[in-house]
């Protein structure tokens, strides 16, 4: 058995002092080294000698044998809050001493083999690393090892941080082996041993399914997963790396005000919801069902990357917008009900901006948000000035036209809601005893009048010409509740469209419905495009209401629920059940980066009680409840992949002779056409990867980690849906390919399609208002109200649109959400080290990357095709949201690996 020790020729214990004199400096107390009596008695025969500070660790044995000398180089990133920041105090001084002693990091190399004599894991070989240099914001540490010939292949490195502050390890490289260096990509925070005494483990870039794990690494592999799962007890510390589940019981703040109490989401039939990461914060004394809130929200340490990313990393910019800019706006615009008197006043947001005096003091803020915060020359003030959105730059009046209203259902910000009309007449599924007659007021006569004799409704249904966006049943149960909130209103709504021969949609009708309430019967009205003045303005107001509903559904369901929220359980389960050396972990890991931190920030200031969503969107405090209702009624994992989603909405049918194996119901559907290109490329890459590691069904079924992962996603991460029969099974490589491709699509293509166009399309808020504040004039009209509408219809429209403070806050957030950081990581752009470790996987990735570059060119060509009227034409914004790559900033294109904003 080899022991880790310092070379010596005596059998008695030996103690060594460094060959540096201990000379007290100015202002420091002198000291002497005098062993305690019991120490002197025990070691009275021990020799004392001197050795260099950078002690070499050597494995020795009584027999002489061959060995190899290797050098370990550790690269540590300088961080904002980590151990290398400009700190003062005791811990900083102690850490300087550690560096001086050459004891910053303890490294232990681990063999992949077990001891042939005992069958146990071989004892690791350890050494301290000493500081070697600093360059370009990185510090390197080095140590030397002598590895016996029979030690076996190195499979992992154990690391212990001897400092009192955490540090961010980027890489460890072991150099000196005959076959070249071994590199460990760490990309991880290592806590101080004084906070967490357990050594961190980093595996080599080789990936192993559990049954193929080298015998010397099996125990470490299993122990690391146990550590990451935690025990479900106590409040999480900032340095913890524990992944666990909890319900959304932290959105309310009853301790601040009873008005901010919100029901927990998840864990009940009334409010089903995906799970979030557990923080362990104590429960509220005011409302025992609510978790208390805090200034920061725990995420496992490696999920929080703000300190190591660039200054303009998305989390930093969003945090700055929410915690500095938005409060500054609130301090300037004190009248929360003040609207825009004229449309020219809206234009001033882009032409002149808002004078916000206290922002100029914050120079860092101007660096982080240069698009928004600009210093006013020769004054002490700053201005919050919004960039003119692309939609407005190309055509200032496009938002007013019905053609653009229809086009954006296919090539705009929310392409996920439109569906084929499959049944006629339209009917609600809600209880008529509560919500009134279920029949829609959109009749056959109205539709055929709007089609103008082109065909009958029966023919239109048969030829798949009628399409609908239907929010009636999801919104109607909340109408009476929302109408009790000051400054907003709500209807159940639906919009009907007709598909023309040129593949463009014509809006036929919008229906707004109020359920029986306040002693009044059900009210419903159908609005249609009109050539006469009164009907035309009523149509514009109906569109404003419907667009506010669509904006809310987009943000709460298409965006938050289906990407951010649904993905968090995948991340938690992946870290709890799949080892870092598991091939599926390494495939998915880039797609899960930064998402938990962004989600935590959303819980802190976006979707929380009285946050941006509640204060600026139509449903108010019921906003997130509506996303819970949508989760219960609509969300299905088996429909989250793009082809299945299109088929379920009637927008496609399977057709082996068509591109991608699907025939689209609307040939010029930019989101679907570009999305299917991306989907196929992702699926091919995932197929190549999965088939390399899983040759047959037995390998999938026998992978205990993989099976536990999929079981936990279904039964814990999405526990409220655990009994659904539609969950895919996981028995074959093909099953695994389908599951993983869906996850990759949701985190990349789906999120990009609904996120990075937010400022382009909603930056001019009359195009996509987040709130409709007043009822339509035709609902229970009074004589005075109707006369006011007839005299000044434009004033009625402006009164319905968001207030000045609502618009300013939303535009600030949308600008940040739509922006790519300079170090954005785009799909297929960078080869992960673990993928590059195997030539076949590397080749598959290179094919994937090459295909994405081809897709860039295909999308560019489509946007130049004059026959594709939904993406090309006078003043039309080209559809680029699914172009894989982008430069930094608000560009309306680019598909990152993960949900990082």
């Amino acid at each position: 058995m080899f022991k880790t020790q310092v070379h010596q020729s005596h059998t008695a214990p030996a103690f060594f002092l460094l060959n540096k004199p201990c000379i007290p400096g100015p202002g420091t107390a002198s000291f002497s080294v005098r062993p305690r009596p019991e120490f002197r008695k025990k070691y009275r025969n021990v020799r004392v000698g001197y050795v260099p500070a950078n002690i070499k660790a050597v494995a020795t044995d009584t027999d002489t044998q061959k060995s190899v000398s290797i050098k370990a180089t550790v690269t540590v990133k300088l961080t904002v809050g980590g151990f290398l920041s400009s700190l003062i105090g005791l811990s900083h001084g102690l850490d300087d001493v550690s560096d001086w002693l050459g004891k910053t990091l303890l490294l232990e190399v681990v063999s992949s083999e077990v001891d042939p004599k005992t069958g146990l894991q071989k004892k690791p070989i350890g050494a301290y690393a000493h500081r070697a240099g600093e360059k370009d914001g990185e510090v390197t540490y080095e140590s030397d090892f002598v590895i016996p010939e029979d030690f076996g292949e190195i499979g992992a490195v154990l690391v212990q941080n001897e400092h009192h502050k955490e540090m961010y390890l980027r890489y460890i490289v072991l150099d000196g082996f005959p076959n070249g260096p071994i590199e460990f990509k760490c990309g991880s925070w290592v806590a101080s041993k004084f906070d967490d005494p357990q050594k961190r483990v980093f595996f080599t870039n080789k990936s192993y399914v559990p049954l193929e794990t080298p015998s010397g690494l099996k125990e470490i592999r299993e122990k690391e997963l146990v550590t990451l799962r935690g025990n479900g007890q106590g409040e999480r510390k900032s340095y913890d790396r524990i992944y666990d589940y909890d319900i959304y019981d932290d959105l309310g703040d009853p301790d601040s005000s009873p008005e901010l109490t919100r029901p927990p989401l998840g864990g009940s039939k009334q409010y089903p919801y995906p799970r979030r990461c557990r923080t362990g914060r104590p429960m509220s004394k005011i409302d025992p069902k609510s978790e208390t809130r805090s200034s920061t929200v725990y995420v496992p340490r490696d999920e929080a990357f703000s300190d190591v990313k660039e200054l303009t990393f998305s989390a930093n910019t969003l945090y700055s917008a929410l915690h500095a800019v938005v409060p500054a706006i609130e301090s300037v615009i004190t009248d929360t009900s003040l609207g825009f008197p004229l449309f020219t006043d809206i234009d001033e947001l882009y032409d002149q901006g808002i004078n916000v005096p206290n922002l100029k003091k914050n120079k860092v803020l101007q660096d982080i948000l240069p698009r928004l915060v600009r210093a006013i020359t020769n004054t002490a003030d700053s201005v919050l000035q919004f960039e003119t959105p692309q939609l407005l730059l190309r055509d200032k009046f496009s938002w007013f036209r019905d053609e653009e209203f229809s086009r954006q259902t296919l090539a705009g910000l929310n392409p996920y809601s439109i569906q084929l009309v499959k049944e006629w007449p339209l009917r609600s599924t809600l209880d008529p005893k509560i919500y009134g007659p279920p029949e829609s007021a959109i009749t056959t006569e109205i539709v055929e009048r709007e089609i103008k004799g082109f065909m009958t409704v029966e023919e239109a249904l048969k030829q798949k010409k009628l399409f609908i966006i239907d929010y009636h049943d999801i919104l109607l149960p909340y109408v009476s509740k929302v109408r009790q909130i000051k400054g907003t209103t709500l209807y159940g709504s639906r919009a009907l469209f007709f598909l023309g021969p040129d593949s463009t949609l014509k809006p036929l009708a919008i229906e707004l419905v109020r359920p029986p309430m306040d002693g009044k019967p059900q009210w419903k009205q159908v609005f249609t495009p009109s050539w006469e003045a009164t009907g035309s303005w009523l149509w514009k107001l109906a569109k404003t209401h419907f667009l506010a509903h669509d904006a809310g559904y987009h943000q709460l369901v298409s965006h938050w629920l289906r990407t951010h929220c649904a993905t968090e359980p995948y991340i938690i389960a992946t870290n709890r059940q799949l080892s870092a050396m598991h091939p599926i972990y390494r495939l998915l890991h880039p797609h899960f980066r930064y998402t938990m931190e962004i989600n935590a920030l959303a819980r802190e200031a976006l979707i929380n009680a009285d946050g941006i969503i509640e204060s600026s969107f139509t449903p108010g405090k019921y906003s997130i409840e509506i996303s819970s209702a949508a989760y219960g009624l609509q969300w299905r994992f088996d429909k989250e992949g793009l082809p299945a989603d299109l088929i379920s909405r009637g927008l496609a049918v399977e057709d082996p002779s068509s591109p991608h194996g699907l025939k689209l119901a609307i040939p010029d559907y930019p989101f679907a056409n570009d999305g299917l290109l991306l989907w196929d490329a992702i699926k091919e890459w995932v197929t190549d990867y999965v088939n390399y590691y899983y040759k047959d069904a037995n390998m999938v079924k026998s992978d205990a980690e993989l099976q536990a992962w999929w079981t936990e996603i279904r039964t814990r991460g999405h526990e409220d849906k655990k009994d659904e029969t539609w969950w895919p099974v996981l028995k074959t490589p093909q099953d695994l390919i389908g599951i993983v491709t869906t996850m990759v699509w949701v985190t990349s293509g789906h999120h990009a399609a609904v996120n990075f166009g937010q400022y382009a399309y909603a930056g001019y808020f009359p195009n996509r208002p987040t709130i409709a504040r007043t009822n339509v004039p035709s609902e229970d009209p009074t004589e005075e109200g109707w006369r006011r509408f007839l005299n000044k219809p434009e004033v009625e429209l402006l009164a319905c649109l968001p207030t000045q403070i609502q618009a300013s806050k939303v535009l600030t957030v949308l600008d940040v959400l739509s922006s790519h950081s300079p170090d954005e990581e785009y799909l297929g752009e960078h080869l992960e080290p673990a993928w590059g470790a195997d030539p076949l996987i590397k080749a598959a990735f290179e094919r994937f990357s090459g295909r994405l570059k081809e897709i860039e060119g295909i999308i560019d060509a489509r946007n130049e095709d004059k026959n594709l009227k939904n993406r090309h034409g006078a003043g039309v914004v080209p559809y680029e949201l699914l172009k894989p790559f982008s430069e930094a900033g608000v560009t309306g294109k680019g598909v990152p690996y993960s949900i990082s904003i």
Side-chain angles (χ1 to χ4, degrees):
M1 183 78 179
F2 290 95
K3 298 180 179 180
T4 304
Q5 60 185 38
V6 177
H7 261 311
Q8 54 185 326
S9 57
H10 298 275
T11 56
F15 294 90
F16 299 89
L17 299 178
L18 298 173
N19 59 350
K20 294 183 180 179
C22 295
I23 303 174
T28 63
S30 62
F31 63 93
S32 61
V33 180
R34 182 172 176 81
R36 286 158 44 181
E38 62 270 26
F39 185 96
R40 293 198 304 270
K41 180 178 179 182
K42 183 175 180 181
Y43 296 110
R44 58 181 176 268
N45 295 322
V46 174
R47 286 184 51 188
V48 176
Y50 294 87
V51 298
N54 54 339
I55 300 172
K56 289 188 178 182
V58 184
T60 66
D61 192 75
T62 53
D63 298 324
T64 303
Q65 64 165 19
K66 295 181 179 179
S67 60
V68 58
S69 295
I70 64 169
K71 179 183 290 293
T73 303
V74 183
T75 302
V76 174
K77 175 77 172 178
L78 286 165
T79 66
V80 176
F83 82 112
L84 289 170
S85 57
S86 298
L87 303 171
I88 59 174
L90 178 62
S91 65
H92 189 213
L94 293 173
D95 291 344
D96 284 344
V97 173
S98 294
D99 282 345
W100 181 69
L101 294 174
K103 293 182 62 175
T104 304
L105 289 167
L106 173 62
L107 305 180
E108 295 180 351
V109 293
V110 180
S111 173
S112 296
E113 301 176 2
V114 294
D115 190 307
K117 297 178 181 178
T118 65
L120 301 176
Q121 177 186 325
K122 289 184 178 180
K123 187 174 182 179
I125 299 176
Y128 284 106
H130 61 278
R131 181 166 177 151
E134 178 182 334
K135 184 179 180 182
D136 299 331
E138 294 180 340
V139 177
T140 55
Y141 292 83
E142 294 179 354
S143 63
D144 297 303
F145 295 86
V146 176
I147 307 297
E149 187 180 46
D150 64 351
F151 188 70
E153 182 180 354
I154 291 177
V157 172
L158 302 178
V159 180
Q160 188 166 62
N161 176 10
E162 301 289 325
H163 270 209
H164 288 73
K165 293 286 183 179
E166 64 182 355
M167 59 177 67
Y168 185 79
L169 265 63
R170 295 197 64 193
Y171 301 100
I172 299 173
V173 178
L174 305 182
D175 199 5
F177 295 102
N179 295 326
I182 301 174
E183 182 176 298
F184 298 77
K185 182 186 178 183
C186 304
S188 179
W189 294 95
V190 178
S192 164
K193 75 173 185 181
F194 302 100
D195 290 326
D196 183 2
Q198 185 171 343
K199 297 183 180 76
R200 285 293 310 279
V201 58
F202 296 101
F203 297 106
T204 65
N205 290 328
K206 288 188 177 182
S207 300
Y208 299 99
V209 296
L211 289 178
E212 295 177 355
T213 307
S215 53
L217 301 177
K218 288 181 178 179
E219 184 179 352
I220 293 179
R221 179 175 184 147
E222 293 168 1
K223 284 184 176 179
E224 175 71 356
L225 287 174
V226 170
T227 298
L228 293 171
R229 292 176 196 138
N231 59 10
Q233 303 297 315
E235 185 172 357
R236 298 272 65 86
K237 305 295 191 297
S238 61
Y239 55 79
D240 281 340
R241 299 186 303 124
I242 295 173
Y243 295 78
D244 204 354
Y245 301 96
D246 208 343
I247 60 174
Y248 279 75
D249 59 357
D250 64 341
L251 301 181
D253 191 7
D255 293 335
S256 296
S257 168
E259 294 296 316
L260 299 180
T261 302
R262 299 291 181 268
L265 303 183
S268 68
K269 291 184 178 180
Q270 184 179 6
Y271 301 115
Y273 220 53
R275 298 301 190 261
R276 63 167 173 91
C277 184
R278 179 185 177 276
T279 68
R281 291 179 293 190
M283 304 306 286
S284 165
K285 294 180 180 179
I286 303 297
D287 176 23
K289 294 181 180 179
S290 296
E291 185 176 280
T292 56
R293 294 177 62 81
S294 55
S295 58
T296 58
V297 181
Y298 166 80
V299 294
R301 190 64 185 100
D302 282 343
E303 303 297 336
F305 276 77
S306 298
D307 288 342
V308 296
K309 297 291 284 184
E310 296 292 337
L311 187 64
T312 52
F313 173 54
S314 303
N316 292 328
T317 56
L318 184 56
Y319 185 92
S320 299
L322 294 174
H323 290 82
V325 179
V326 168
I329 295 171
E330 293 171 336
S331 70
V332 173
I333 307 175
T334 56
D335 185 353
T336 58
S337 62
L338 182 64
F340 292 89
L342 301 168
F343 276 95
T344 52
D345 295 322
I346 297 175
D347 294 340
E348 288 183 2
L349 290 173
Y350 314 99
D351 299 334
Q352 299 180 26
I354 304 169
N355 190 9
V356 188
N358 54 344
L359 283 185
K360 189 164 187 179
K361 301 175 184 177
N362 194 333
K363 178 65 171 64
V364 174
L365 198 62
Q366 294 179 33
D367 293 336
I368 294 177
L369 298 169
R371 275 174 53 93
L372 290 174
V373 182
R374 303 174 186 184
I376 301 177
T377 307
N378 300 324
T379 74
D381 295 341
S382 289
V383 64
L384 185 70
Q385 184 177 356
F386 299 100
E387 294 278 346
T388 304
Q390 192 177 12
L391 181 80
L392 212 58
L393 283 173
R394 286 179 172 266
D395 185 347
K396 186 173 183 178
F397 302 105
S398 62
W399 68 277
F400 220 57
R401 295 198 306 272
D402 290 347
E403 298 91 336
E404 183 64 14
F405 168 60
S406 298
R407 189 190 75 83
Q408 287 184 30
T409 65
L410 304 173
L413 193 51
N414 185 29
Y416 271 100
S417 286
I418 191 161
Q419 55 187 313
L420 179 71
V421 176
K422 299 176 182 178
E423 296 181 358
W424 192 266
L426 303 173
R427 290 176 59 91
S428 170
T429 61
L430 298 174
D431 187 349
K433 295 178 182 178
I434 301 174
Y435 300 104
E439 295 81 14
S440 169
I442 302 177
T443 62
T444 298
E445 292 73 23
I446 291 175
V447 172
E448 291 183 349
R449 184 187 71 207
E450 293 302 313
I451 295 176
K452 296 179 172 56
F454 193 76
M455 63 178 65
T456 66
V457 167
E458 184 178 355
E459 291 169 333
L461 290 168
K462 187 176 181 180
Q463 296 181 33
K464 298 183 177 180
K465 296 292 185 180
L466 291 180
F467 294 85
I468 192 170
I469 298 178
D470 196 341
Y471 299 133
H472 181 279
D473 286 8
I474 196 75
L475 295 182
L476 200 65
Y478 288 90
V479 170
S480 62
K481 298 177 183 178
V482 169
R483 287 194 174 202
Q484 295 175 29
I485 303 172
K486 184 181 178 181
T488 187
T489 190
L490 187 64
Y491 296 95
S493 63
R494 49 173 68 102
L496 192 67
F497 302 87
F498 179 76
L499 180 64
D502 58 356
S503 203
T504 61
L505 293 174
K506 168 184 168 58
L508 300 179
I510 292 174
E511 181 180 22
L512 301 180
V513 182
R514 181 198 69 199
M517 56 179 288
D518 300 332
K520 299 177 181 179
Q522 183 196 68
W523 175 90
K524 62 179 69 170
Q525 184 174 348
V526 176
F527 302 84
T528 59
S530 176
W531 292 97
E532 54 92 13
T534 301
S536 178
W537 274 104
L538 285 173
W539 169 248
K540 289 178 177 64
L541 284 162
K543 278 201 302 182
T544 297
H545 279 271
F546 178 79
L547 285 167
H549 303 163
D550 188 61
Y553 186 90
H554 157 261
Q555 203 65 267
L556 295 168
V557 181
S558 300
H559 185 194
W560 164 255
L561 174 67
R562 293 182 63 180
T563 64
H564 289 259
C565 188
T567 295
E568 186 149 338
Y570 310 153
I571 302 171
I572 297 172
T574 298
N575 284 277
R576 284 168 56 88
Q577 299 298 341
L578 299 182
S579 166
M581 67 167 67
H582 197 290
I584 299 304
Y585 175 96
R586 284 176 160 161
L587 176 59
L588 287 173
H589 185 249
H591 300 283
F592 293 160
R593 288 189 188 120
Y594 325 129
T595 302
M596 291 182 72
E597 182 178 25
I598 291 296
N599 287 2
L601 189 53
R603 302 204 316 271
E604 183 183 344
L606 282 175
I607 64 171
N608 61 302
D610 203 33
I612 298 295
I613 296 293
E614 284 196 5
S615 63
S616 305
F617 282 70
T618 283
K621 70 178 184 179
Y622 299 101
S623 295
I624 300 301
E625 276 191 43
I626 290 176
S627 73
S628 169
Y631 178 71
L633 294 170
Q634 300 172 358
W635 188 88
R636 293 177 50 157
F637 182 88
D638 64 328
K639 304 299 183 186
E640 290 303 291
L642 181 58
D645 169 76
L646 293 171
I647 292 170
S648 70
R649 291 189 283 123
L651 270 298
V653 294
E654 292 185 0
D655 181 4
S657 64
S658 297
H660 319 290
L662 293 178
K663 182 178 181 180
L664 295 179
I666 302 176
D668 182 14
Y669 186 1
F671 161 71
N673 282 308
D674 293 359
L676 287 170
L677 287 173
L678 202 59
W679 170 272
D680 281 358
I682 291 169
K683 187 174 183 180
E684 183 179 349
W685 154 238
V686 172
T687 299
D688 288 342
Y689 189 98
V690 168
N691 285 339
Y692 177 79
Y693 289 101
Y694 296 90
K695 306 301 183 185
D696 54 43
N698 286 333
M699 293 190 68
V700 173
K701 289 185 284 189
S702 64
D703 188 329
E705 288 184 7
L706 193 68
Q707 295 298 327
W709 167 75
W710 184 234
T711 297
E712 188 167 287
I713 285 172
R714 293 181 288 111
T715 62
R716 295 199 61 189
H718 287 273
E719 185 175 343
D720 298 335
K721 296 271 191 176
K722 69 180 189 307
D723 296 324
E724 299 287 357
T725 59
W726 42 254
W727 282 104
V729 298
L730 180 52
K731 296 181 178 179
T732 68
Q734 200 61 36
D735 296 336
L736 181 57
I737 289 166
I739 290 167
V740 172
T741 303
T742 296
M743 291 181 180
V744 171
W745 163 256
V746 168
T747 59
S748 58
H750 181 151
H751 181 258
V754 299
N755 182 74
F756 291 105
Q758 291 192 83
Y759 195 78
Y761 287 103
Y764 185 69
F765 62 87
N767 181 63
R768 288 188 66 81
T770 59
I771 189 170
R773 296 188 291 138
T774 59
N775 297 338
V776 289
S778 54
E779 182 194 343
D780 301 334
T782 63
E783 184 176 345
E784 180 185 355
W786 187 252
R787 186 182 302 111
R788 186 171 59 246
F789 164 64
L790 292 179
N791 290 337
K792 285 282 188 179
E794 180 181 329
V795 172
E796 289 297 304
L797 178 56
L798 284 164
C800 190
L801 292 173
T803 63
Q804 291 188 23
I805 193 166
Q806 287 170 337
S808 300
K809 290 196 297 185
V810 169
L811 292 186
T812 298
V813 173
L814 292 186
D815 185 277
V816 174
L817 293 180
S818 303
S819 185
H820 293 292
S821 64
D823 49 0
E824 190 80 87
E825 297 169 10
Y826 296 100
L827 193 65
E829 190 173 38
H830 298 295
L831 177 71
E832 291 287 305
W835 302 345
D838 189 283
L840 292 178
I841 296 297
K842 182 180 180 181
F845 176 82
E846 289 172 348
R847 289 193 298 272
F848 174 51
S849 182
R851 177 57 180 161
L852 294 176
K853 292 180 175 66
E854 292 175 5
I855 289 173
E856 285 258 316
I858 294 171
I859 292 174
D860 285 339
R862 287 174 173 176
N863 286 325
E864 294 297 323
D865 189 341
K866 64 181 181 181
N867 296 313
L868 302 178
K869 301 187 187 310
N870 290 321
R871 62 193 308 157
H872 178 88
V876 171
V877 177
Y879 191 76
E880 298 183 311
L881 290 173
L882 292 175
K883 285 188 68 174
F885 309 110
S886 173
E887 59 274 14
V890 178
T891 64
K893 59 185 176 182
V895 182
Y897 271 108
S898 65
I899 303 166
S900 58
I901 186 62

